[in-house]
Amino acid sequence: MVAAGSVPAAFAEDGYELWLRYAPLSEPPRSAPRHVMAACSNPSDTLRAALDEIDRATEAMLGAGLPRTDTLEGGTLVLASPDCSDALTGLPLPPAAKVGTEGFAIREVQHSGRQVTLISAQSDIGVLYGTFDYLLRMARGEELTGVNILSRPKTKLRLLNHWDNLDRHVERGYSGQSIWDWHRLPGYLDPRYTDYARANASIGINGVSLTNVNADATVLTPHYLEKVAALADVFRPYGIKVYLTARFSAPMELDGLPTADPRDPAVRAWWQAKVDEIYTYVPDFGGFLVKANSEGQPGPQDYRRSHAEGANMLARALAPHDGKVMWRAFVYSAEEPEDRVKQAYTEFVPLDGQFADNVLVQVKNGPLDFQPREPFHPLFGAMPETPLMMELQITKEYLGFSTHLAYLGTLWEEVLSAETHAVDERASVASIIDGTAHGYEITGMAGVANIGSDRNWSGSIFDQANWYAFGRLAWDPDASAEAIARDWTELTFSRAPEVADAITQMMMGSREAVVNYMTPLGLTHLMGTGHHYGPAPWVDDLGRADWTPYYYHKATQEAVGFDRTETGSGAVDQYAGPVAQEWASLDTVPDELLLWFHRVGWDHELDNGNTLWQELVRRYDLGVSQVAAMQAVWASLEDEIDADRFEEVSAFLAIQSREAVWWRDASIAYWQSVNGMPLPEGAAPPAHDLAYYKALSFPNAPGQGE
Amino acid sequence: MVAAGSVPAAFAEDGYELWLRYAPLSEPPRSAPRHVMAACSNPSDTLRAALDEIDRATEAMLGAGLPRTDTLEGGTLVLASPDCSDALTGLPLPPAAKVGTEGFAIREVQHSGRQVTLISAQSDIGVLYGTFDYLLRMARGEELTGVNILSRPKTKLRLLNHWDNLDRHVERGYSGQSIWDWHRLPGYLDPRYTDYARANASIGINGVSLTNVNADATVLTPHYLEKVAALADVFRPYGIKVYLTARFSAPMELDGLPTADPRDPAVRAWWQAKVDEIYTYVPDFGGFLVKANSEGQPGPQDYRRSHAEGANMLARALAPHDGKVMWRAFVYSAEEPEDRVKQAYTEFVPLDGQFADNVLVQVKNGPLDFQPREPFHPLFGAMPETPLMMELQITKEYLGFSTHLAYLGTLWEEVLSAETHAVDERASVASIIDGTAHGYEITGMAGVANIGSDRNWSGSIFDQANWYAFGRLAWDPDASAEAIARDWTELTFSRAPEVADAITQMMMGSREAVVNYMTPLGLTHLMGTGHHYGPAPWVDDLGRADWTPYYYHKATQEAVGFDRTETGSGAVDQYAGPVAQEWASLDTVPDELLLWFHRVGWDHELDNGNTLWQELVRRYDLGVSQVAAMQAVWASLEDEIDADRFEEVSAFLAIQSREAVWWRDASIAYWQSVNGMPLPEGAAPPAHDLAYYKALSFPNAPGQGE
């Protein structure tokens, strides 16, 4: 029921504006500009987008848009680049050595005797990035007097990967259907596409792979390329290139070739012609993202060719157009010859140095599959001759879909800051990714998007933070998850310090809560089969063992965990010496990775004096109580948050709370059925018996593969 | 690109508000109330909804919500019903004989010496309907001094039928996915559900069937009934009952019964228990909508029982709870024994009088399947002992999906005003539906919803008019399509007379334009196979003949059309004498139905002197030019319409224009390939050859059955 005196729905805080709400400032910063100008007579579409954003933001924050001026006055906000400087002579553009092609400088300077704020770069895109940076600082209430900022991205390719099918189903999507309305494209350009591009540009994302990695060759036909081109046209002013997923067997499916063998000249010619055709539709097409020989996808190994041969064939076709191939390392054999988490390393390390210059190998953060916690992927540091991109999953396939509050910034920070010891005694994963460790020529990060047709884009307000954090970390893999969370909170909810503090702290602890109630102590992949919704540690009878939870925990009456030391699969040896040493020893392995690397008895004693079984139950309870604590914090904010968003978050936290209990209870009921142990003292028994939990079914859980 | 000075996106006219925008009034009506009160100390949820709507509307239209008062003052807007009258004595409530249980009166009256506006009814729902009526009159700028309105619905059951699957795919949905977010129910109640209920209540819709008629028994399980109950709770204050589709084989699928035979006692007991269970979740559950023995759905004929036996079994289970069965007459045999359009009549007329009292037979407006034009269904008038509901299709499966502008009010008015001659010399279809012709005890109309997750609900702004018109016609099947169009236009776009005139006229001609460019002169069902997108008159090779366009036109070198006179299928004889006589004769059949009932030579001469072939091509060209005319009218309104909606409609009209040409060209190319005739003088040749049109494919066209 709408409360009396409430405003109409369209004016409610429904989350559509994301972090670009530009909430009114109670008092404008002393340094607020009074005019705006581009330093050229004919600004590009990109600079026009920057000017429009300034209009929009200042109107919302200051109550009136800045008037545009043609002649320099004091207090003018000036946008300038090498392509936009004909209207003012002698503007100090930042040197390319400092900002590169995409970075920017924001400085208060004196020009022609006037005090102005200059946003400048070596490219118009840099200026647009700088404009967003400036406006978002203003939106956070930052004092901009004497501003002097220099920023440049540490990675070159910062991509969203949409796992969107052409029928608008989103694999692992929990926020409605695909925002790509293929049927009404190219005739209808939903204004949402532009707002999507604005949001991405505001956090530096410069590429979008539109289609699912489980690819449909149909997107490579003219009927769809026309639609792809229409999207590319919308995105171009915002510095965003379009990429597509290439189905390896496309030559057979689209044109009836008898083979897709990368050595076959007809196949090579087909791809060359197809790539050339794509560039007639999208002159700045970014390239292909490829999942090959993985989970049923076709690939070069179907013809006994290596991943490198497959990737290089596509790379050769793209090279004349400066296109890239992003070849995914997420491969594991259908025959399960060895520990699944070892296989990508085994497969790819021997290929190091064999890939063409315009190929990147795209590696998930961990060696398994986007779990609440994994060690970093052993490929990071192990392929010095091959640019490795990191692939993160923004959409929460394994962390409670869109209703659980789980800020992933901490997960990503954990992996990026992990020390590989591959080059020097530290060599963080971030330093691999940003190219400094191995001197990669091209660098990048990809995030599997959590964006759908839901009004709030991501299915929940807090999931917007994960989109935001991905962009920020792709720009700077060394950035602080906490600083990012706080910036997002201030932009999204409130600049009031006590509110921003409370929400930031909720976010910072939220992922560990999920780990605790789902998969504590290094347990992993215990989620319901197929949909990955809810607990199902008992599943052990699927077509292939390494798709079952049992494969990952191997619980018996005596022990639990996956031995990945030399007495087991030896996976730990894929890490550099110091890392392998630490994790291989029961004495030094951190509790968080214990059951990932070790198989131990239920009575195994941990550093804190608890047995494994006691600690396991304690962690489940901790997770449940951490969610309750988030609920309490949120409830205390009722007067600080608009009603619509307050209610949505409250409802989702209540769901998370119930599901955390479900995870705890179902897991404990199962472990007890295996180890036959009584509950540790003080622990509450599960609400239902194991049969109850096993009987639950979710035939229409969202986001499944099709 | 967003223009300088534009407002942020959330404040744009994005269509979410529907006809409940409550645009600010340039001057408040002289009679605008100054206070509001409910005539009771403890208003029901329904009256609270009415009060909230008054707040919302007056705040938006008048700039400030009406203050609530406890004591009667002059200029008060008073809400009163038998359940809400304790605060004021002697209020003149309208007699039940005049307003029934759902109607209302709005009158300016003197009470206790004060001039007040009284919205009153025999029920709180009636008051809510009256409140919407009053507010929407104000929103249209109607002068309400001395207001004296009495209104009551002519039908009892006014339902939306959602063809929504549990995975959120909408069969024949062209506006995103289902608005029922089953996964997040019942924990999360999207505010959209409330706005949906408001919109429906504002036009008198009082029932919603939530699920696809191609039914999934899973919705009858507790896991889903809990979700259904949550929706019912949201809808209840708005007078909306929830219905479900019952899969006839549910006892077998859910509980492993060996049969679903309606004579089997175990089956009957299963349904009784299931129905009783449903009522524990939803105490005012409306009942079942059933598609049985049609297009592969299970049904009583699987056991050699009649439709009546099947319906009555469900009716018996529902009767103790006052639930209804809506049994669809859209049946045709998988064996094609006779002309498909005859089969429902053949099947159902012998069952007249055999259905239980709480069964309605739900009949599509025409005997085929929601085509751009059909004659009325011959069952109307032919089942005096069986309440017949009409089923209309609001979603435009066969009329261009959501991008073509086609106002369906005129289509529905055409069928409702058609004279059946079944009782007296006229006996309109409306008089069958509203129960007056045959004295039906229960009456109803159902509309297949065009509502989805798109921000604007219906996929396009103009498709909202079809939702609105359905509600208005269900309330009053004799209402004028033009008056409805005008009301909607004033509420949706503008009260300015020249704008409202122009848009209303566009709408009034729009459906005939579609008929002209798709299926003129009584042609029918020529749409692309399966998805029904675009022309495919050449298709003649599907599994069953009556799913092919060829079945319906039977074009040869000599002639075209389906002979349904006595020399052919004789379908025309299913109509009452005078109707059959008119349509059976080539002299009197209207051109609009010519090829529906007759097979004639290409050189057959029409009243206007044209040959059939000339007239056919002329109509195609007319349709194309009618769309061009709509584009011109719309373009002239640019300064009168907000940018977002102007752009959306312009883009959609451009799509419609291209697709009208596609329809014309593909159709003409095909007819020429059959009749070998040259184009009539002055007619432009198709842009491509027939092979081009035949080669077009649309593998991911939206809305297909699954």
Side-chain angles (χ1 to χ4, degrees):
Chain A
M1 201 67 51
V2 175
S6 70
V7 292
F11 303 98
E13 290 266 14
D14 60 16
Y16 183 80
E17 300 292 331
L18 295 160
W19 49 87
L20 300 175
R21 289 163 62 244
Y22 301 124
L25 292 164
S26 49
E27 44 185 313
R30 276 177 295 145
S31 61
R34 296 186 300 274
H35 314 276
V36 61
M37 77 178 288
C40 52
S41 48
N42 190 17
S44 66
D45 286 347
T46 297
L47 288 184
R48 273 185 232 274
L51 291 167
D52 288 343
E53 196 70 27
I54 291 166
D55 283 337
R56 174 192 299 260
T58 53
E59 194 168 311
M61 291 191 287
L62 308 175
L66 295 187
R68 298 206 184 152
T69 180
D70 289 334
T71 51
L72 200 62
E73 306 179 58
T76 296
L77 182 63
V78 180
L79 311 185
S81 74
D83 288 338
C84 181
S85 49
D86 61 276
L88 294 172
T89 49
L91 277 175
L93 299 184
K98 293 219 168 171
V99 297
T101 54
E102 294 183 302
F104 56 84
I106 310 175
R107 282 180 296 169
E108 210 172 82
V109 296
Q110 290 282 336
H111 192 73
S112 307
R114 295 188 165 73
Q115 185 94 346
V116 303
T117 300
L118 176 64
I119 303 178
S120 57
Q122 283 294 321
S123 67
D124 289 359
I125 290 299
V127 175
L128 180 64
Y129 290 152
T131 300
F132 275 112
D133 187 84
Y134 179 82
L135 294 172
L136 293 179
R137 286 172 191 272
M138 192 187 285
R140 294 200 307 273
E142 203 169 290
E143 183 49 59
L144 295 164
T145 308
V147 61
N148 188 353
I149 290 159
L150 209 69
S151 182
R152 66 185 291 185
K154 292 185 184 167
T155 66
K156 289 185 181 164
L157 305 173
R158 304 174 299 276
L159 264 75
L160 288 183
N161 288 181
H162 287 257
W163 287 357
D164 292 13
N165 293 346
L166 299 181
D167 66 0
R168 301 188 72 180
H169 174 77
V170 181
E171 186 164 334
R172 310 312 173 185
Y174 312 102
S175 53
Q177 61 185 169
S178 172
I179 59 169
W180 317 133
D181 183 359
W182 292 111
H183 180 72
R184 288 187 279 208
L185 281 168
Y188 177 59
L189 297 172
D190 192 327
R192 200 170 177 128
Y193 304 144
T194 305
D195 290 325
Y196 166 86
R198 288 176 48 233
N200 279 333
S202 77
I203 50 176
I205 289 171
N206 67 3
V208 179
S209 174
L210 298 173
T211 45
N212 194 348
V213 288
N214 292 321
D216 180 344
T218 313
V219 78
L220 303 178
T221 60
H223 180 63
Y224 278 92
L225 291 175
E226 202 181 18
K227 301 168 189 281
V228 170
L231 288 174
D233 291 345
V234 173
F235 300 160
R236 191 167 294 111
Y238 297 91
I240 296 166
K241 284 189 179 182
V242 157
Y243 296 71
L244 293 174
T245 48
R247 186 161 162 86
F248 204 78
S249 51
M252 302 165 73
E253 290 153 8
L254 296 184
D255 285 305
L257 267 63
T259 177
D261 184 346
R263 284 198 197 161
D264 186 288
V267 172
R268 292 173 180 225
W270 188 93
W271 280 109
Q272 188 64 63
K274 179 54 70 182
V275 165
D276 294 345
E277 182 189 11
I278 293 172
Y279 279 91
T280 65
Y281 288 92
V282 184
D284 55 353
F285 178 63
F288 290 134
L289 170 63
V290 187
K291 174 177 180 176
N293 292 121
S294 170
E295 300 184 322
Q297 294 298 307
Q301 295 182 328
D302 301 345
Y303 309 97
R304 301 193 195 177
R305 315 299 179 206
S306 74
H307 284 287
E309 274 196 88
N312 291 346
M313 173 188 64
L314 298 175
R316 200 175 302 116
L318 287 158
H321 306 282
D322 199 29
K324 306 282 185 287
V325 172
M326 293 158 177
W327 193 269
R328 292 176 87 237
F330 179 67
V331 302
Y332 55 98
S333 165
E335 286 83 35
E336 314 161 34
E338 67 174 354
D339 181 1
R340 174 168 152 188
V341 308
K342 290 180 68 178
Q343 295 180 38
Y345 182 102
T346 305
E347 186 78 41
F348 276 85
V349 167
L351 301 176
D352 191 28
Q354 296 183 25
F355 290 94
D357 287 346
N358 56 335
V359 176
L360 298 100
V361 171
Q362 184 165 313
V363 182
K364 292 187 181 183
N365 57 285
L368 182 47
D369 191 14
F370 299 136
Q371 295 301 300
R373 168 166 282 123
E374 299 184 34
F376 69 85
H377 201 298
L379 277 176
F380 294 117
M383 294 187 72
E385 305 299 322
T386 309
L388 299 185
M389 282 182 79
M390 181 176 285
E391 179 178 305
L392 302 171
Q393 193 179 42
I394 308 171
T395 186
K396 301 206 312 299
E397 174 180 359
Y398 294 101
L399 288 100
F401 294 5
S402 60
T403 50
H404 292 213
L405 199 169
Y407 171 57
L408 303 179
T410 50
L411 191 165
W412 301 333
E413 181 181 57
E414 179 176 296
V415 61
L416 287 164
S417 65
E419 292 169 5
T420 67
H421 295 261
V423 181
D424 54 41
E425 64 179 24
R426 299 160 66 105
S428 69
V429 172
S431 75
I432 308 293
I433 295 308
D434 69 19
T436 53
H438 297 310
Y440 294 155
E441 280 291 314
I442 43 176
T443 55
M445 276 178 68
V448 181
N450 66 352
I451 296 161
S453 61
D454 275 4
R455 179 67 181 167
N456 65 19
W457 302 87
S458 300
S460 76
I461 299 295
F462 274 98
D463 277 312
Q464 297 176 352
N466 293 325
W467 177 7
Y468 178 85
F470 166 75
R472 291 280 302 268
L473 285 169
W475 185 276
D476 179 6
D478 296 308
S480 145
E482 179 158 4
I484 293 170
R486 189 168 178 108
D487 285 353
W488 177 82
T489 299
E490 290 179 354
L491 294 171
T492 302
F493 285 117
S494 174
R495 287 180 290 263
E498 64 286 2
V499 178
D501 285 347
I503 295 176
T504 302
Q505 288 318 307
M506 274 176 68
M507 292 169 70
M508 289 303 292
S510 59
R511 174 259 189 157
E512 201 65 39
V514 175
V515 172
N516 284 329
Y517 63 73
M518 286 189 183
T519 51
L521 296 176
L523 287 169
T524 198
H525 215 306
L526 307 183
M527 292 75 184
T529 302
H531 47 62
H532 300 153
Y533 175 59
W538 47 81
V539 172
D540 59 1
D541 57 353
L542 299 180
R544 44 189 297 180
D546 60 352
W547 283 358
T548 69
Y550 176 78
Y551 177 90
Y552 295 102
H553 65 69
K554 303 190 191 301
T556 62
Q557 194 173 354
E558 289 72 37
V560 62
F562 197 129
D563 182 2
R564 294 193 164 101
T565 68
E566 57 185 1
T567 58
S569 78
V572 74
D573 290 329
Q574 291 182 336
Y575 293 93
V579 178
Q581 218 165 353
E582 180 190 350
W583 292 347
S585 161
L586 263 180
D587 294 334
T588 51
V589 68
D591 287 350
E592 284 61 37
L593 294 177
L594 175 62
L595 303 178
W596 183 282
F597 285 112
H598 297 273
R599 178 167 177 76
V600 296
W602 295 101
D603 289 327
H604 171 77
E605 193 174 312
L606 300 176
D607 282 347
N608 67 2
N610 280 343
T611 66
L612 176 74
W613 175 232
Q614 288 169 329
E615 182 65 9
L616 197 56
V617 174
R618 189 185 78 79
R619 297 261 178 151
Y620 285 126
D621 280 325
L622 179 61
V624 168
S625 68
Q626 285 168 317
V627 176
M630 288 199 286
Q631 286 184 287
V633 170
W634 188 252
S636 75
L637 298 174
E638 177 158 13
D639 294 341
E640 314 296 331
I641 309 285
D642 55 284
D644 280 17
R645 293 190 299 173
F646 180 80
E647 292 300 335
E648 183 203 286
V649 173
S650 298
F652 286 176
L653 284 170
I655 290 171
Q656 184 174 14
S657 171
R658 284 193 298 276
E659 296 187 349
V661 171
W662 169 33
W663 265 97
R664 174 212 183 267
D665 286 357
S667 300
I668 290 176
Y670 171 69
W671 302 128
Q672 284 194 288
S673 80
V674 175
N675 65 18
M677 296 174 81
L679 282 171
E681 199 179 309
H688 303 275
D689 64 11
L690 180 60
Y692 168 88
Y693 297 108
K694 289 171 106 165
L696 296 175
S697 82
F698 306 95
N700 296 292
Q704 302 192 53
E706 289 194 321
Chain B
M1 201 65 51
V2 175
S6 69
V7 291
F11 304 97
E13 290 265 14
D14 59 17
Y16 182 80
E17 300 293 330
L18 295 162
W19 49 89
L20 300 175
R21 289 164 61 242
Y22 302 125
L25 293 164
S26 48
E27 44 186 311
R30 274 176 296 143
S31 60
R34 296 186 300 275
H35 314 276
V36 62
M37 77 178 287
C40 52
S41 47
N42 191 16
S44 66
D45 286 349
T46 297
L47 288 184
R48 274 185 231 273
L51 290 167
D52 287 342
E53 195 70 27
I54 291 166
D55 282 338
R56 175 194 297 262
T58 54
E59 194 169 310
M61 290 191 288
L62 308 175
L66 295 187
R68 298 208 184 150
T69 180
D70 289 333
T71 52
L72 201 62
E73 306 179 58
T76 297
L77 181 62
V78 180
L79 311 185
S81 73
D83 289 338
C84 182
S85 49
D86 61 275
L88 293 173
T89 50
L91 277 177
L93 300 184
K98 293 221 167 166
V99 297
T101 54
E102 294 184 302
F104 57 83
I106 309 175
R107 283 179 298 168
E108 208 172 80
V109 297
Q110 290 282 335
H111 191 73
S112 306
R114 294 187 165 72
Q115 187 93 347
V116 302
T117 299
L118 176 64
I119 302 179
S120 58
Q122 283 294 320
S123 66
D124 289 358
I125 290 300
V127 175
L128 180 63
Y129 290 153
T131 300
F132 275 112
D133 187 85
Y134 179 82
L135 294 172
L136 293 180
R137 286 174 191 272
M138 192 187 286
R140 295 199 307 272
E142 204 170 291
E143 183 49 59
L144 294 164
T145 308
V147 61
N148 188 353
I149 289 159
L150 209 68
S151 181
R152 66 185 291 185
K154 291 184 182 169
T155 65
K156 289 183 181 166
L157 305 172
R158 304 176 299 278
L159 265 75
L160 288 184
N161 289 180
H162 287 257
W163 287 357
D164 292 12
N165 293 347
L166 299 180
D167 66 0
R168 301 189 72 179
H169 175 77
V170 180
E171 187 165 333
R172 310 312 173 186
Y174 311 102
S175 52
Q177 62 184 167
S178 171
I179 59 169
W180 317 133
D181 183 359
W182 291 111
H183 180 72
R184 287 188 280 207
L185 280 167
Y188 177 58
L189 298 172
D190 192 329
R192 201 170 176 128
Y193 303 145
T194 306
D195 290 325
Y196 167 86
R198 289 175 49 233
N200 279 332
S202 78
I203 50 176
I205 288 171
N206 66 4
V208 179
S209 174
L210 298 173
T211 44
N212 194 350
V213 289
N214 293 322
D216 180 344
T218 313
V219 78
L220 303 178
T221 60
H223 181 64
Y224 278 93
L225 291 176
E226 201 181 18
K227 302 167 188 280
V228 169
L231 288 174
D233 291 344
V234 174
F235 299 161
R236 190 167 295 111
Y238 297 90
I240 296 167
K241 284 189 180 182
V242 156
Y243 297 71
L244 293 173
T245 48
R247 185 159 164 90
F248 205 78
S249 51
M252 302 165 71
E253 290 155 6
L254 296 184
D255 285 307
L257 268 62
T259 176
D261 183 346
R263 284 199 197 160
D264 186 288
V267 171
R268 291 173 181 224
W270 188 92
W271 279 109
Q272 187 65 62
K274 180 54 70 182
V275 165
D276 294 345
E277 182 189 11
I278 294 172
Y279 279 91
T280 66
Y281 287 93
V282 185
D284 56 351
F285 179 63
F288 289 135
L289 169 64
V290 187
K291 174 177 181 176
N293 292 121
S294 170
E295 300 183 321
Q297 294 298 305
Q301 295 182 330
D302 300 345
Y303 309 97
R304 301 196 194 173
R305 315 298 179 208
S306 74
H307 284 285
E309 274 196 89
N312 292 346
M313 174 188 63
L314 298 175
R316 201 175 301 116
L318 288 159
H321 307 282
D322 200 30
K324 306 282 186 286
V325 172
M326 295 161 174
W327 193 268
R328 294 176 84 237
F330 179 68
V331 302
Y332 55 97
S333 166
E335 285 83 37
E336 315 163 33
E338 66 175 354
D339 181 2
R340 173 168 154 187
V341 308
K342 289 180 70 177
Q343 295 180 39
Y345 181 102
T346 305
E347 186 79 38
F348 276 85
V349 167
L351 301 177
D352 192 27
Q354 296 182 24
F355 289 94
D357 287 347
N358 57 335
V359 177
L360 297 100
V361 171
Q362 184 164 312
V363 183
K364 290 186 180 183
N365 58 285
L368 182 48
D369 191 15
F370 299 136
Q371 295 301 300
R373 169 166 280 124
E374 300 185 34
F376 69 85
H377 201 298
L379 277 176
F380 294 117
M383 295 188 71
E385 304 298 323
T386 308
L388 299 185
M389 282 181 79
M390 181 176 285
E391 178 179 306
L392 302 171
Q393 194 179 42
I394 307 171
T395 185
K396 302 207 313 298
E397 175 179 358
Y398 293 102
L399 287 99
F401 295 6
S402 60
T403 48
H404 291 212
L405 200 169
Y407 171 58
L408 302 179
T410 51
L411 189 166
W412 301 334
E413 181 181 57
E414 180 176 295
V415 62
L416 287 164
S417 65
E419 294 170 2
T420 67
H421 295 261
V423 183
D424 54 38
E425 66 179 23
R426 298 160 66 105
S428 69
V429 171
S431 75
I432 309 292
I433 295 306
D434 69 18
T436 54
H438 298 310
Y440 295 154
E441 280 290 315
I442 42 175
T443 55
M445 276 177 69
V448 181
N450 65 351
I451 296 161
S453 60
D454 275 4
R455 178 67 181 167
N456 65 19
W457 303 86
S458 299
S460 76
I461 300 295
F462 274 98
D463 278 312
Q464 298 177 350
N466 294 324
W467 177 7
Y468 178 85
F470 167 75
R472 291 281 302 268
L473 286 168
W475 184 277
D476 179 5
D478 297 309
S480 146
E482 180 158 4
I484 293 170
R486 190 169 177 106
D487 284 354
W488 176 83
T489 299
E490 290 179 356
L491 294 170
T492 303
F493 285 116
S494 173
R495 287 181 289 263
E498 64 286 1
V499 178
D501 285 348
I503 295 177
T504 303
Q505 289 316 307
M506 273 175 69
M507 291 169 70
M508 290 302 292
S510 59
R511 175 257 190 156
E512 202 65 37
V514 175
V515 172
N516 283 330
Y517 63 71
M518 285 191 186
T519 52
L521 296 176
L523 287 169
T524 198
H525 215 307
L526 307 183
M527 292 76 184
T529 302
H531 49 61
H532 300 152
Y533 175 60
W538 47 82
V539 172
D540 59 0
D541 57 354
L542 300 180
R544 45 188 299 177
D546 60 352
W547 284 358
T548 68
Y550 176 79
Y551 177 90
Y552 296 103
H553 65 69
K554 301 188 191 303
T556 62
Q557 194 172 356
E558 290 72 37
V560 61
F562 197 129
D563 184 2
R564 294 192 165 101
T565 68
E566 58 185 1
T567 57
S569 78
V572 73
D573 291 328
Q574 291 182 335
Y575 293 93
V579 178
Q581 220 165 353
E582 181 190 348
W583 291 348
S585 162
L586 263 180
D587 293 336
T588 52
V589 67
D591 286 351
E592 283 63 35
L593 295 176
L594 176 63
L595 302 178
W596 183 282
F597 285 111
H598 297 272
R599 177 168 177 74
V600 297
W602 295 102
D603 289 327
H604 172 77
E605 193 175 309
L606 300 175
D607 282 350
N608 68 1
N610 280 345
T611 65
L612 176 73
W613 175 232
Q614 288 169 328
E615 183 65 9
L616 198 56
V617 175
R618 188 185 78 80
R619 297 262 179 151
Y620 286 125
D621 280 326
L622 179 60
V624 168
S625 68
Q626 285 167 318
V627 177
M630 289 199 286
Q631 287 184 286
V633 170
W634 188 253
S636 76
L637 299 173
E638 179 159 12
D639 295 341
E640 315 295 331
I641 309 286
D642 53 284
D644 280 15
R645 295 191 297 173
F646 181 80
E647 292 301 334
E648 183 203 286
V649 173
S650 298
F652 286 178
L653 284 170
I655 291 172
Q656 184 174 16
S657 171
R658 284 193 296 275
E659 295 188 351
V661 170
W662 170 30
W663 265 98
R664 174 212 183 266
D665 285 357
S667 300
I668 290 176
Y670 172 69
W671 302 129
Q672 284 194 291
S673 80
V674 175
N675 66 18
M677 295 174 79
L679 282 171
E681 201 178 309
H688 303 275
D689 64 13
L690 181 59
Y692 169 87
Y693 297 109
K694 289 172 105 165
L696 296 175
S697 83
F698 306 95
N700 296 291
Q704 301 192 54
E706 286 191 326

